[in-house]
């Protein structure tokens, strides 16, 4: 915490007190808001100190993992639009945060532009052609299992959602970055490896026996 504004009055500082007022965040980054009270002999000055700004002058990207947000920002710095950036972020997070996101699921998009009606993309996969309710009943099951092979009762729609989002981006926003660039960071992370987060380590340890069975 910098006290530069009061450096000239340092000799007159009687006490410095920092009070944590609010704390939010998760493992990929934490946001703290402090109220710093500088007590001087003659007067008290109070200022709000917020380390992480909530606005960006040109673009902003947020994601549950910092590397995914960085992928999105890199795309926009190269002239890509927000939808292209989101494809890059979604691909990266599937590689760096696999216990929470993957290409084996579904994706739901809500795209909002000033002056235009919102656009929704339903990237939910359809039921598998080879699955019927009778097949579950024949195995003595009254419901679809939560995990395992029989839990995969739909076709993953994530990648189809990315494809439709890129197509819309090109037609409506003039998107021009190739798919190889949008997936480039994710491919590098998948090939070169990643730093494992604490939550992934704990999740892998807890599910290891189930994964190996």
């Amino acid at each position: 915490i910098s006290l530069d504004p009061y450096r000239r009055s340092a000799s007159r500082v009687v006490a410095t007190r920092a009070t944590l007022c609010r704390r939010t965040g998760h493992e990929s980054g934490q946001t703290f808001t402090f109220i710093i009270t500088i007590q001087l002999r003659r007067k008290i000055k109070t200022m709000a100190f917020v380390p992480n700004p909530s606005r960006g002058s040109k673009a902003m990207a947020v994601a549950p993992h910092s590397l995914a947000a960085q992928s999105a920002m890199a795309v926009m710095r190269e002239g890509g639009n927000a939808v292209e950036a989101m494809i890059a972020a979604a691909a990266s997070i599937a590689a760096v945060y696999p216990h929470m996101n993957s290409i084996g699921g579904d994706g739901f998009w809500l795209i909002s532009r000033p002056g235009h009606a919102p656009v929704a993309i339903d990237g939910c996969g359809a039921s598998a052609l080879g699955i019927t309710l009778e097949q579950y009943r024949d195995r003595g099951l009254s419901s679809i299992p939560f995990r395992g092979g029989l839990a995969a009762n739909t076709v993953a729609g994530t990648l189809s959602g990315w494809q439709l989002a890129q197509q819309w981006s090109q037609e409506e926003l003039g998107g021009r970055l190739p798919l190889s660039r949008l997936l480039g960071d994710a491919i590098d992370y998948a090939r070169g490896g990643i730093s494992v987060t604490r939550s992934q380590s704990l999740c892998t340890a807890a599910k290891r026996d189930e994964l190996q069975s």
Side-chain angles (χ1 to χ4, degrees), residues 31-163:
T31 300
F32 298 91
T33 299
F34 292 92
I35 296 298
I36 303 174
T37 301
I38 309 299
Q39 182 177 350
L40 305 178
R41 289 181 178 177
R42 295 183 179 179
K43 58 183 177 180
I44 295 178
K45 293 185 178 181
T46 303
M47 64 178 181
F49 183 76
V50 183
N52 297 318
S54 58
R55 293 184 179 182
S57 59
K58 295 182 179 179
M60 179 180 288
V62 295
H65 196 290
S66 60
L67 292 179
Q70 290 175 24
S71 293
M73 288 302 300
V75 164
M76 288 189 283
R77 289 191 183 103
E78 295 175 24
N81 57 54
V83 175
E84 291 174 319
M86 188 60 230
I87 296 172
S92 287
I93 207 167
V96 303
Y97 213 48
H99 60 303
M100 298 299 292
N101 298 267
S102 76
I103 61 175
D106 300 320
F108 305 92
W109 293 66
L110 182 60
I111 305 171
S112 177
R113 289 189 296 166
H116 294 77
V119 174
I121 296 178
D122 184 355
C124 181
S127 298
L129 291 176
I131 291 294
T132 64
L133 292 176
E134 287 70 25
Q135 289 177 317
Y136 285 99
R137 295 190 180 106
D138 291 344
R139 290 176 169 82
L141 298 172
S142 59
S143 61
I144 298 174
F146 186 70
R147 294 185 182 276
L150 292 176
N153 62 313
T154 63
V155 178
T158 297
L159 298 184
S160 293
W162 296 357
Q163 182 181 29

Side-chain angles (χ1 to χ4, degrees), residues 201-213:
S201 176
L202 293 175
C203 182
T204 301
K207 303 298 181 182
R208 182 173 181 176
D209 292 340
E210 183 178 347
L211 293 171
Q212 291 179 331
S213 62

